[in-house]
């Protein structure tokens, strides 16, 4: 059997589904999303839901800022309540080096119009009174940052896309990409060949394999990132809290659970098993920062993949293979970038125009110098 | 008032009298009682309110498996009160209710349920956006169970690492038997149970056991537990750790919590003997306080000597339901009847005959349709079933009772087996998800064994033999024991086959065919 599509999107995560929805919105008729498992089976269904514009490089700040603007209106656009809540992001530093980085970032953010501000430990306690400020040097706060619940974002994009004619195939694995004379001709999905002019690699932690199918060597590497949820409690925490010195972050979900993670692994792997080491490390660090949380029980833990790049920033746009489009390498930030990435990648496919916001994230940039993103947390 | 003073079989040795506070109100309790039992004895039926509809919640299983009994204890939220003992001056608070748990104004949500179908929060109140923001913010206030702790726990947390030959999780008849037989061979053993005492389900079985004499029949369950405990405590190489809940198995490493200590156990072999949990049944108001698991009622009555109510209705006529009926009558509690969906009684004839002699009606081909009451059970309605399991219209009848015991079977606990990476299968004959295993009870994950109800719902007698086999085989694989031990192990395997040869074993054998490799 053979099928013809305009665009085949590989990956039914938030990125792929946002791209597919935006393609349909731009009037592309035959868009098919190919997902090897179920929607949200990758990192999108495993993430913390954090959305922020406090970044450390100009391109990331601009891109994230636009995405945050879009998140503010996303429930209306998708006609699906994504439970978006703007409680802010509070970054905290426990040594001088981290604090001076934060100061530098805030300066850059402010120069680009982001309303972040430096806070003293006392001011941090005003924002979240349960904080233990021993050893805290200071931090930064941006009221406009927030969180959304990941599942309705995934489902909302899928439903809105399907309403516009997007075809979503679950449990359909892409096994090969057909390239002839330097341009994409189709993909092999399950038992079927699908002819198409564009293939979008939105395969998250598996993006490296997709590059290889097209014969490209990528710089992406998957790394396990673990996370946990406690029992649900009455609301007591507004912002996402990030201890940048410990790599710890946590927020309180709409259900009331404390959801949080801490960097534990760095070796490349697509394993997503949970580890004892992680719960212990997370518990130690969060108790140090919020001593009363010792009475709160962990309900469950799980893990997902960060698709890492050398500069911890995404790969967006075209490659030397015509029609082979990238939207991957999001490290810990793919959820918050999905709205803007969807819109601009769709625009690129529909019009051929590379938006200035995504231009800095080209696939070929690793051949030049690298300026890494410093705040790789949720 | 709610405590039994006399009992023909059990003598309740209550500890020192103490005072606990329920929402600020002082109440009498005795050391050695769980918070749930003590509150119940003081007439408290509603412990908290539910998450969404603010329906009243009491206890259900009384063994820490259902989370129905959660309350705030000394400032810590969501404590399963059926698992903590009272302490003098303890402050216990209900959760999720205002102004108090008996009169919760948000109980109106229960009447407005048509407004909140499943998933409503994604699909309703989206536009206009200012209303959505209001809604999201308001909804947030209603989420969560319990409050963030007001005080810091003063005692510091500790960490401990243990190594042993065999870690046994669960000290019911299966786990205890594993420990005794592997201990005998000299293996270094760590036996853990989340309960404060060993014996598992046996500690509430005040009746004489059925089965063959060789395996404890004719002896009361509580006595079997005592015998096993005495035996296991003879071994210096068996380290018994109670109040120790195992929460995870990570690639062969066990994570457990005991009071304030996080324990990391690195064993060479693991035996999972975590038993089962009670099933519930779907009918109107099945969540009212007063609807309990049969085992929950047994725990309350036979372990803590607290009366569950005045008149009970039993749902399910298997051995558990029949025995419970008899035990209730023994404790001076009335039983309005036993309801059984099948056309025949499920349990052994001897038990049924005894119950009939005592004049308790058994309604076969009947089921429970609803429970009456708004804050606690005030009665029940039962209905006849035809041969296609459909309700017979007009056959409804009201039963007067103030509590309902659900004894419709157990399901094996499967969580730790999944975590350990064992291959699992759904086998209805064995009660649910059970691991694939060989005849020596080793699962598809090398070095991980299963025994007892966790391997499939059966009886204490078979649980004990499975425990012995798992204990012997794991020790033998580690180089303990000799030819004789192997022969003993193989003899137990054939004993098991022998025991299952009776009419009640046929179903089990059919189930085992699907998982024994
Ligand atoms: C624990 C954790 C916390 C995080 N917290 C945040 C946060 O707070 N904020 C934030 O912005 N980001 C966060 N992230 C990162 C974020 O989750 C990801 O960047 C984002 O979900 C990536 O979405 P995606 O759609 O690109 O990839 P994914 O969601 O991983 O989707 C890729 C999909 O592709 C499918 N696929 C793979 N190969 C094939 C194939 N050959 N054929 C067909 N389908 C295939 C996979 O099954 C998968 O469903 C977190 C990540 C983790 C793991
Ligand atoms: C009312 C009733 C009457 C019965 N009558 C008879 C009878 O007459 N004859 C007969 O042979 N059988 C009878 N049985 C069945 C018998 O009681 C069970 O088959 C037997 O107790 C199963 O033993 P077990 O060791 O597998 O599990 P259990 O006895 O349930 O023990 C499991 C233990 O594991 C512990 N545990 C579970 N999870 C964890 C964890 N994560 N961490 C630490 N510890 C954990 C539990 O606390 C528990 O102590 C009866 C059962 C009931 C309910
Ligand atoms: S957990 Fe306490 S009653 Fe079930």
């Amino acid at each position: 059997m053979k099928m013809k599509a305009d665009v085949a999107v590989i990956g039914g995560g938030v990125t792929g589904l946002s791209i597919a929805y935006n393609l349909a919105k731009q009037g592309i008729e035959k868009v098919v999303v190919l997902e090897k498992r179920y929607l949200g089976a990758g990192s999108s269904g495993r993430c913390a839901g954090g959305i922020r514009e406090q970044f450390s490089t100009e391109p990331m700040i601009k891109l994230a800022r636009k995405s945050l603007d879009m998140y503010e209106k996303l429930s209306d656009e998708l006609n699906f309540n994504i439970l978006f809540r703007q409680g802010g992001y509070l970054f905290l530093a426990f040594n001088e080096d981290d604090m001076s980085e934060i100061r530098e970032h805030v300066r850059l953010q402010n120069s680009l119009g982001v309303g972040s501000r430096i806070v003293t430990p006392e001011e941090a306690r005003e924002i979240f009174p349960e904080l233990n400020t021993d050893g805290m040097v200071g931090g930064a706060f941006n009221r406009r940052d927030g969180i959304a619940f990941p599942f309705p974002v995934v489902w909302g994009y899928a439903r809105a896309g399907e309403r516009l004619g997007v075809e979503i195939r679950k449990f359909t694995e892409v096994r090969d990409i057909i390239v002839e004379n330097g341009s994409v001709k189709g993909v092999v999905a399950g038992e079927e060949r699908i002819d198409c002019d564009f293939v979008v690699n939105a395969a998250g932690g598996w993006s490296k394999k997709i590059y290889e199918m097209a014969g490209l060597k990528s710089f992406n590497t998957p790394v396990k990132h673990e996370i946990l949820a406690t029992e649900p409690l009455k609301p007591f925490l507004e912002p996402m809290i990030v201890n940048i010195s410990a790599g710890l972050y946590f927020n309180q979900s709409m259900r009331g659970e404390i959801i949080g993670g801490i960097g534990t692994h760095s070796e490349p792997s697509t394993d997503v098993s949970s580890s004892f080491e992680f719960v212990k490390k997370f518990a130690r660090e969060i108790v140090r920062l919020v001593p009363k949380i010792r009475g709160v029980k962990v309900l469950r833990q799980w893990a997902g993949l960060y698709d890492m790049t050398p500069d911890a920033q995404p790969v967006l746009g075209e490659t030397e293979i015509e029609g082979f489009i990238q939207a991957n390498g999001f490290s810990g930030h793919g959820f918050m970038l999905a709205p803007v990435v969807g819109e601009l990648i769709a625009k690129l496919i529909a019009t051929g125009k590379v938006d200035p916001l995504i231009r800095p994230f080209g696939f070929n940039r690793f051949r030049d110098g690298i300026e890494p993103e410093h705040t790789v947390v949720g | 008032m709610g405590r039994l003073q006399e009992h023909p079989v059990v003598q309740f040795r209550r500890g020192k009298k103490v005072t606990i506070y329920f929402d600020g109100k002082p109440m009498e309790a005795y050391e050695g009682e769980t918070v749930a039992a003590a509150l119940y004895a003081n007439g408290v039926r509603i412990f908290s309110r539910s998450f969404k509809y603010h329906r009243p919640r009491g206890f259900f299983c009384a063994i820490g498996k259902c989370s129905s009994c959660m309350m705030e204890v000394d400032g810590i939220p969501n404590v399963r009160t059926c698992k903590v003992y009272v302490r003098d001056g303890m402050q216990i608070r209900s959760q999720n209710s205002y102004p108090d748990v008996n009169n919760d104004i948000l109980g109106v949500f229960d009447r407005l349920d048509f407004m909140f179908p499943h998933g409503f929060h994604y699909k309703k109140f989206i536009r206009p956006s200012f209303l959505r923001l209001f809604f999201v913010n308001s909804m947030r206030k209603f989420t969560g169970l319990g409050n963030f702790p007001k005080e810091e726990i003063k005692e510091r947390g500790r960490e401990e690492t243990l190594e042993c030959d065999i870690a046994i999780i669960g000290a019911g008849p299966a786990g205890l038997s594993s420990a005794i037989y592997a201990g005998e061979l000299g293996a270094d053993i760590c036996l853990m149970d989340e309960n404060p005492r060993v014996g598992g389900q046996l500690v509430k079985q005040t009746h004489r056991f059925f089965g063959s004499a060789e395996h404890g029949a004719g002896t009361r369950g509580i006595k079997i537990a005592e015998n096993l405990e005495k035996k296991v405590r003879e071994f210096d190489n068996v380290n018994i750790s109670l109040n120790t809940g195992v929460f995870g198995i990570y690639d062969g490493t066990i994570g457990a919590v005991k009071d304030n200590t996080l324990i990391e156990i690195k064993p060479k072999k693991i035996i999972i003997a975590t038993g089962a949990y009670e099933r519930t049944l779907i009918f109107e108001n099945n969540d009212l306080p007063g609807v309990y698991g049969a085992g929950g009622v047994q725990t309350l009555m036979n372990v803590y000597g607290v009366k569950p109510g005045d008149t009970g209705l039993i749902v399910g006529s298997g051995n558990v339901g029949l025995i419970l009926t008899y035990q209730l009558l023994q404790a001076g509690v009335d039983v309005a009847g036993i309801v059984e969906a099948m056309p025949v009684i499920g349990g052994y004839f001897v038990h049924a005959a005894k119950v009939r002699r005592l004049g308790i009606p058994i309604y076969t081909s009947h089921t429970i349709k609803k429970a009456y009451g708004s804050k606690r059970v005030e009665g029940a309605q039962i209905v006849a079933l035809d041969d296609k399991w459909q309700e017979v219209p007009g056959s409804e009848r009201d039963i007067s009772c103030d509590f309902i015991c659900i004894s419709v079977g157990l399901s094996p606990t499967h969580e730790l087996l999944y975590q350990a990476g064992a291959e699992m299968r759904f086998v209805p004959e064995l009660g649910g998800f059970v691991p694939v295993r060989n005849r020596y009870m080793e699962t598809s994950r090398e070095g991980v064994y299963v025994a007892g109800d966790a391997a499939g719902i059966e009886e204490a007698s078979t649980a004990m033999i499975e425990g012995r086999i798992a204990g012997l085989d794991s020790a033998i694989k580690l180089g303990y024991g000799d030819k004789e031990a192997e022969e003993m192990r193989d003899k137990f395997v054939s004993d098991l086959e022998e025991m299952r040869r009776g009419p009640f074993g046929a179903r089990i054998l059919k189930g085992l065919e699907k998982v024994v490799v």
Side-chain angles (χ1 to χ4, degrees):
Chain A
M1 227 172 61
K2 213 163 160 182
M3 178 193 161
K4 175 95 184 105
D6 295 330
V7 185
V9 179
I10 307 174
V14 67
T15 307
L17 292 165
S18 170
I19 292 171
Y21 161 75
N22 279 287
L23 282 167
K25 202 176 141 191
Q26 300 256 352
I28 308 282
E29 276 179 15
K30 302 204 78 179
V31 179
V32 57
V33 177
L34 304 163
E35 166 54 52
K36 69 174 168 180
R37 294 180 68 202
Y38 51 90
L39 301 185
S43 298
S44 300
R46 298 160 185 264
C47 78
I51 298 162
R52 61 171 154 113
E53 52 181 358
Q54 294 187 77
F55 277 92
S56 71
T57 67
E58 181 169 338
M60 273 302 281
I61 295 170
K62 286 182 169 164
L63 191 69
R65 182 170 174 73
K66 168 86 183 183
S67 211
L68 180 51
D69 291 345
M70 294 173 73
Y71 259 115
E72 287 180 336
K73 302 187 197 82
L74 197 59
S75 291
D76 281 312
E77 162 134 23
L78 301 178
N79 193 22
F80 208 63
N81 195 344
I82 61 166
L83 305 181
F84 179 53
R85 179 170 74 75
Q86 285 167 298
Y89 250 70
L90 177 62
F91 279 89
L92 299 170
F94 283 78
N95 59 55
E96 252 327 311
D97 287 354
D98 288 338
M99 191 60 215
S100 64
E101 279 201 10
I102 286 184
R103 278 195 205 98
E104 223 172 276
H105 302 163
V106 169
R107 214 172 296 132
L108 178 63
Q109 289 156 8
N110 292 165
S111 76
L112 296 167
V114 173
S116 50
R117 63 181 165 97
I118 296 293
V119 294
T120 62
E122 293 69 42
E123 288 165 334
R125 269 187 78 125
E126 277 163 29
I127 296 166
F128 182 45
E130 303 299 343
L131 286 176
N132 170 14
T133 51
D134 290 354
M136 190 188 292
V137 185
F141 184 64
N142 181 29
R143 175 81 229 182
R144 216 180 142 232
D145 295 343
I147 58 168
F149 196 39
F151 290 106
V153 178
V154 169
W155 299 331
Y157 271 124
R159 293 167 129 234
E162 281 179 323
R163 273 200 299 271
L164 298 177
V166 170
E167 183 185 345
I168 298 175
R169 296 203 194 170
K170 295 175 227 172
F171 297 97
T172 307
E173 180 166 3
V174 171
R175 294 186 292 121
D176 203 5
I177 298 177
I178 298 142
V179 181
E180 282 167 21
N181 304 323
S183 52
V184 158
K185 294 289 173 223
V187 296
V188 179
E191 300 304 310
E192 194 178 342
R193 174 174 165 157
I194 301 176
D195 287 343
C196 54
D197 306 321
F198 291 94
V199 170
V200 181
N201 177 3
W206 298 268
S207 68
K208 193 185 190 72
K209 279 200 201 148
I210 307 294
Y211 280 106
E212 282 163 10
M213 287 179 194
L216 286 185
K217 186 185 164 324
S218 79
F219 293 87
N220 296 16
T221 39
V223 174
K224 171 156 84 176
H225 186 78
E226 297 192 61
I227 184 164
L228 58 72
T230 68
E231 58 193 324
L233 299 173
K234 291 278 168 212
F236 70 98
L237 170 65
E238 283 295 318
M240 171 86 87
I241 309 268
V242 181
N243 174 352
I244 198 88
S245 308
L248 170 87
Y249 66 86
F250 57 94
N251 68 43
Q252 188 173 22
S253 76
M254 276 299 291
R255 268 177 62 86
E257 303 139 320
I258 302 301
I259 309 256
I262 190 164
T264 311
H265 310 275
S266 52
E267 64 290 356
S269 158
T270 48
D271 162 57
V272 288
S273 61
S274 296
S275 76
F276 199 7
E277 191 194 346
F278 162 74
V279 230
K280 287 197 287 191
K281 191 172 172 189
F282 181 88
R284 263 186 228 123
E285 285 301 332
I286 197 169
V287 166
R288 189 170 301 164
L289 190 57
V290 185
K292 284 186 207 159
I293 209 160
R294 284 186 59 206
V296 177
K297 292 167 275 298
V298 173
L299 275 198
R300 53 185 188 276
Q301 63 177 122
W302 65 94
L305 299 174
Y306 273 15
D307 191 26
M308 295 302 298
T309 59
D311 60 5
Q313 301 185 26
V315 179
L316 302 172
E318 297 168 292
T319 55
E320 54 252 49
I321 297 174
E322 200 183 327
F324 187 40
I325 309 290
Q326 306 310 318
N328 46 58
F330 288 105
S331 78
H333 315 126
F335 176 72
M336 61 182 87
L337 296 177
V340 70
V341 165
E343 182 168 293
L344 300 184
I345 293 290
K347 193 169 123 194
L348 169 69
I349 293 172
T351 67
K353 291 208 184 74
V354 181
D355 191 281
L357 281 179
I358 62 169
R359 181 157 315 171
F361 300 103
F363 175 64
N364 285 330
R365 72 177 182 278
F366 302 119
R367 297 177 187 164
D368 316 331
I370 288 168
E371 189 199 344
E373 170 56 49
H374 290 270
T375 54
V376 183
V377 281
Chain B
M1 66 205 226
R3 291 185 181 86
L4 296 166
Q5 300 307 336
E6 282 169 35
H7 193 283
V9 182
V10 200
Q11 263 163 22
F12 301 108
R13 281 181 294 260
R14 298 200 166 90
K16 209 174 91 206
K17 196 195 269 187
V18 296
T19 306
I20 59 173
Y21 297 85
F22 169 60
D23 283 341
K25 212 170 110 203
M27 287 181 175
E28 185 178 283
Y30 295 89
E31 279 179 356
E33 280 180 343
T34 59
V35 171
L39 290 177
Y40 205 88
N42 281 281
V44 180
R45 295 293 176 271
I46 308 180
F47 290 4
S48 283
R49 292 278 175 158
S50 72
F51 194 76
K52 185 165 162 187
Y53 294 126
H54 287 251
R55 287 175 61 85
R57 285 284 174 270
F59 82 96
F60 177 78
C61 72
I63 52 166
K65 300 250 194 243
C66 75
S67 302
S68 179
C69 63
M70 294 196 303
M71 302 176 82
E72 184 182 303
V73 177
D74 285 342
I76 309 283
N78 301 325
V79 174
R80 284 172 292 173
T81 51
C82 69
K83 288 195 49 195
V84 253
Y85 285 132
V86 295
R87 230 178 315 105
D88 197 31
M90 204 176 224
Q91 293 285 346
I92 301 139
R93 299 195 170 273
S94 51
Q95 298 187 150
N96 225 26
S97 57
Y98 181 84
D100 66 59
V101 74
N102 278 308
N103 306 293
D104 176 18
I105 49 172
L106 289 181
V108 299
F109 282 2
D110 195 23
R111 308 251 175 275
L112 301 176
D113 60 342
F114 59 89
M115 281 175 63
F116 310 115
H118 179 72
F120 75 96
H121 43 285
Y122 304 135
K123 294 171 202 155
K124 295 203 173 183
F125 313 113
I126 294 174
R127 292 195 179 101
S129 55
F130 73 89
L131 264 187
R132 179 181 72 243
L133 285 180
F134 170 76
F135 166 70
V136 168
N137 284 326
S138 318
M139 187 175 88
R140 188 163 186 242
K141 298 202 181 84
F142 298 137
T143 60
L145 272 177
N147 293 310
F148 184 71
K150 285 175 207 67
E151 308 277 330
E152 186 185 340
I153 302 178
K154 287 286 166 296
E155 207 183 324
R156 304 308 303 169
R158 279 188 304 272
E159 287 182 36
E160 203 176 290
T161 309
L162 287 177
E163 284 182 22
C164 62
D165 287 330
I166 306 170
I168 303 172
I169 309 168
L176 285 167
S177 304
S178 293
I180 292 167
Y181 279 77
E184 182 83 55
L185 296 187
D188 178 22
I189 290 162
C190 181
L191 173 64
M192 293 162 277
D193 200 296
E194 62 184 353
N195 271 309
R197 52 177 99 189
V198 304
Q201 301 290 317
L202 292 178
V203 302
K204 54 199 179 197
Q205 310 305 348
T206 52
H207 59 285
R208 292 180 203 284
F209 263 35
F210 41 85
S212 75
E214 194 190 335
H215 301 117
T219 313
R220 295 186 196 281
I222 39 178
K223 187 73 194 154
I224 300 177
E226 275 170 29
N227 293 344
L228 289 171
E229 174 165 12
K230 212 164 112 220
K231 185 90 197 145
V232 80
R233 291 204 185 270
E234 284 170 12
F235 298 106
D236 291 336
N237 49 330
V238 179
N239 166 12
I240 304 173
S241 183
L242 297 175
N243 290 313
T244 306
V246 171
F247 62 82
I249 299 181
Y250 302 89
D251 203 13
T253 297
I254 295 174
V257 173
K258 177 177 189 164
D259 304 323
N260 249 331
T261 307
L262 179 69
I263 315 175
E264 179 168 352
I265 303 123
K266 296 190 165 144
K268 298 191 181 105
K269 305 276 177 197
I270 299 175
I271 300 175
I272 298 176
T274 46
Y277 51 86
E278 291 191 277
R279 288 197 202 137
T280 185
L281 203 62
I282 294 177
F283 56 89
E284 192 179 325
N285 279 335
N286 69 353
D287 63 338
L288 270 187
V291 178
Y292 305 131
V297 169
Q298 283 192 318
T299 304
L300 195 68
M301 181 169 70
N302 299 347
V303 179
Y304 299 109
V306 174
K307 258 177 87 168
D310 293 324
T311 311
L313 173 70
I314 314 291
V315 183
S317 73
N319 282 325
V320 174
L322 296 172
I323 289 164
L324 175 62
T325 303
Y326 181 68
Q327 292 175 344
L328 283 165
L329 295 170
Q330 229 173 16
V333 178
D334 220 3
V335 175
I338 303 176
V339 184
E340 169 61 59
M342 304 275 281
V344 292
I345 293 169
Y348 291 169
F349 176 75
V350 279
H351 295 310
K354 194 165 181 175
V355 165
R356 279 239 166 84
R357 269 202 306 280
L358 291 162
I360 306 302
I362 303 181
Y363 302 95
T364 49
S365 293
H366 272 72
T367 190
I368 181 166
K369 188 163 175 170
K370 63 167 113 167
Y372 292 113
S374 62
K375 290 183 183 163
R376 58 161 81 182
V377 169
E378 288 161 13
Q381 187 181 68
I382 65 170
V383 65
L385 296 175
D386 64 19
D387 51 6
K388 293 190 190 65
W389 303 98
Q390 299 302 310
E391 289 177 9
V392 179
S395 69
E396 290 86 358
R397 113 170 57 186
D398 285 347
I399 302 273
S400 158
C401 60
D402 63 351
F403 70 102
I404 297 165
C405 303
I406 310 293
S407 67
V408 292
L410 302 161
S411 293
T413 52
H414 49 249
E415 298 84 352
L416 293 176
L417 287 154
Y418 270 107
Q419 285 184 19
E423 187 191 336
M424 304 290 284
R425 284 193 193 148
F426 185 76
V427 183
E429 293 88 348
L430 299 177
F433 286 99
V434 290
V436 172
R437 78 299 288 258
N438 65 19
R439 57 207 292 260
Y440 299 136
M441 306 308 293
E442 186 171 10
T443 67
S444 64
R445 185 69 189 239
E446 202 194 323
V448 176
Y449 291 73
V450 65
D453 279 354
I457 305 301
E458 246 180 304
E459 295 176 351
S461 43
T462 45
M464 287 188 279
I465 314 240
E466 286 182 347
R468 293 175 192 176
I469 295 168
L472 287 169
D473 192 64
S474 54
I476 290 167
K477 295 270 159 65
L478 290 173
Y480 294 99
D482 47 18
K483 198 105 199 91
E484 213 177 297
E486 285 175 28
E487 281 164 18
M488 186 168 14
R489 173 196 61 189
D490 293 341
K491 175 176 178 297
F492 287 137
V493 172
S494 45
D495 281 0
L496 258 185
E497 283 163 9
E498 188 60 40
M499 290 166 77
R500 287 171 179 148
R501 213 156 271 155
F504 282 88
R507 195 174 146 80
I508 299 290
L509 288 176
K510 197 166 150 230
L512 287 173
E513 260 172 37
K514 301 179 189 170
V515 281
V516 178
V517 293

